[in-house]
């Protein structure tokens, strides 16, 4: 797990469609998780914290619309990008899909290339670093492709964890991250750490950021976690 490789959750009850899409997303350098029904989708979202979800409308157990509704009702997944898939082409369904909070809507049969482009477009919004953009905030800049972070033009010496932390902060300046969210995002779900680990690495990041002077840009939000700016 790393911030370099975005995780896409495919929720689709047709195994062949799931496989084809999964294969193509992996070929594009993404990680893929798959669910065959709505309940499994909700479970995997909670466990794996995907970056984008491709969600079929017609699903066993829990429909795509219901999954979408539940994800939007939870603070931790309110902003998770959802691309709805549907065999229905009626305008009313499209409107319903977007009203319920889907970010995009693709009608089956779709071209895989087109769907991947839509996934990338969502990723650019939520994971700009993995899309190759240089991230900036005030005098801080980070280029994930060159693995280079600077403040006021001076290169920052960061360990891999601090680099991922800074990437996460820069992707959403001002957003308050809980320690649990940072653990998921920066360390990955497979690793067990307690929240003090986060404090230690935020401390190191602060030290690196202020090493050449300048004020501390990382804000501690009491009882919640951390934010940049
Ligand atoms: Ca289906």
């Amino acid at each position: 797990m790393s911030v370099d490789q975005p995780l896409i959750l495919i929720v689709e009850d047709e195994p062949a469609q799931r496989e084809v899409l999964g294969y193509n997303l992996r070929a594009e350098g993404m990680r893929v998780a798959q669910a065959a029904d709505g309940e499994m989708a909700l479970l995997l979202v909670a466990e794996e914290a995907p970056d984008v979800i491709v969600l079929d409308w017609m699903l066993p157990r829990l429909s795509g619309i219901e999954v979408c509704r539940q994800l939007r009702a939870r603070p931790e997944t309110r902003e998770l990008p959802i691309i709805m898939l549907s065999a229905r082409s009626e305008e009313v369904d499209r409107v319903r899909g977007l009203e319920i909070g889907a970010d995009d809507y693709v009608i089956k049969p779709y071209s895989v290339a087109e769907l991947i482009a839509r996934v990338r477009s969502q990723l650019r919004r939520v994971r700009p670093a993995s899309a190759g953009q240089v991230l900036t905030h005030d005098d801080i800049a980070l280029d994930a492709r060159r693995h280079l972070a600077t403040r006021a033009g001076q290169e920052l010496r960061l360990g891999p964890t601090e680099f991922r932390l800074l990437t996460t902060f820069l992707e959403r300046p001002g957003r308050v991250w809980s320690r649990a969210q940072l653990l998921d995002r920066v360390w990955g779900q497979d690793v067990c750490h307690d929240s003090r680990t986060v404090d230690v690495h935020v401390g190191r990041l602060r030290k690196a950021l202020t090493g050449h002077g300048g004020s501390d840009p990382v804000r501690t939000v009491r009882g919640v976690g951390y934010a940049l700016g």
Side-chain angles (χ1 to χ4, degrees):
M1 297 270 296
S2 83
V3 281
D4 308 327
Q5 275 189 303
L7 176 65
I8 316 301
L9 173 61
I10 304 169
V11 189
E12 166 65 78
D13 53 323
E14 276 294 323
Q17 291 192 32
R18 218 164 52 223
E19 288 308 319
V20 168
L21 188 52
Y23 174 86
N24 282 280
L25 287 169
R26 283 194 197 95
E28 295 283 317
M30 301 178 205
R31 291 174 303 127
V32 171
Q34 301 185 354
D37 65 65
E39 283 179 11
M40 182 56 83
L42 289 175
L43 207 72
L44 281 179
V45 167
E47 279 182 359
E48 309 268 338
D51 296 295
V52 173
I53 169 167
V54 177
L55 179 61
D56 191 25
W57 182 298
M58 298 294 277
L59 290 170
R61 298 161 88 88
L62 209 58
S63 75
I65 281 291
E66 189 49 37
V67 171
C68 187
R69 203 194 307 271
Q70 293 199 24
L71 291 175
R72 285 299 175 250
R74 300 175 187 175
E76 64 274 24
T77 52
R78 190 162 290 151
E79 295 177 51
L80 170 64
I82 299 175
I83 302 174
M84 291 281 310
L85 302 178
S86 173
R88 314 166 175 199
S89 57
E90 290 88 353
E91 188 66 16
V92 60
D93 284 335
R94 180 187 162 78
V95 169
R96 221 173 120 213
L98 294 174
E99 261 177 7
I100 217 91
D103 297 277
D104 202 352
Y105 187 94
V106 175
I107 291 162
K108 291 179 173 181
Y110 54 82
S111 104
V112 171
E114 164 77 14
L115 186 53
I116 287 174
R118 307 269 190 118
V119 168
R120 284 211 177 282
S121 149
Q122 293 300 324
L123 278 174
R124 267 194 295 279
R125 193 163 66 77
V126 290
R127 299 285 300 271
S130 67
Q133 292 173 35
V134 175
L135 308 178
T136 58
H137 177 73
D138 291 338
D139 56 354
I140 303 166
L142 182 145
D143 185 339
R145 256 203 282 238
R146 292 166 62 206
H147 202 85
L148 177 69
T150 59
R151 183 166 196 197
Q154 303 254 34
E155 185 174 350
L156 300 171
R157 299 175 66 87
L158 301 176
T161 303
E162 286 71 40
F163 193 87
R164 289 202 296 274
L165 251 180
L166 183 59
T167 304
T168 300
F169 282 138
L170 282 171
E171 284 185 326
R172 303 286 294 281
R175 176 189 160 153
V176 180
W177 296 87
S178 72
R179 289 174 177 81
Q181 286 169 333
L182 288 172
L183 278 173
D184 284 354
R185 184 77 170 242
V186 175
W187 281 264
Q189 300 269 339
D190 308 334
V191 193
C192 254
H193 284 297
D194 69 77
S195 56
R196 269 176 312 178
T197 307
V198 177
D199 300 336
V200 168
H201 287 275
V202 166
R204 286 183 195 159
L205 175 60
R206 279 177 156 148
K207 206 170 158 198
L209 283 168
T210 54
H212 298 293
S215 61
D216 179 4
V218 181
R219 188 160 53 94
T220 303
V221 183
R222 248 187 181 310
V224 187
Y226 297 102
L228 181 74

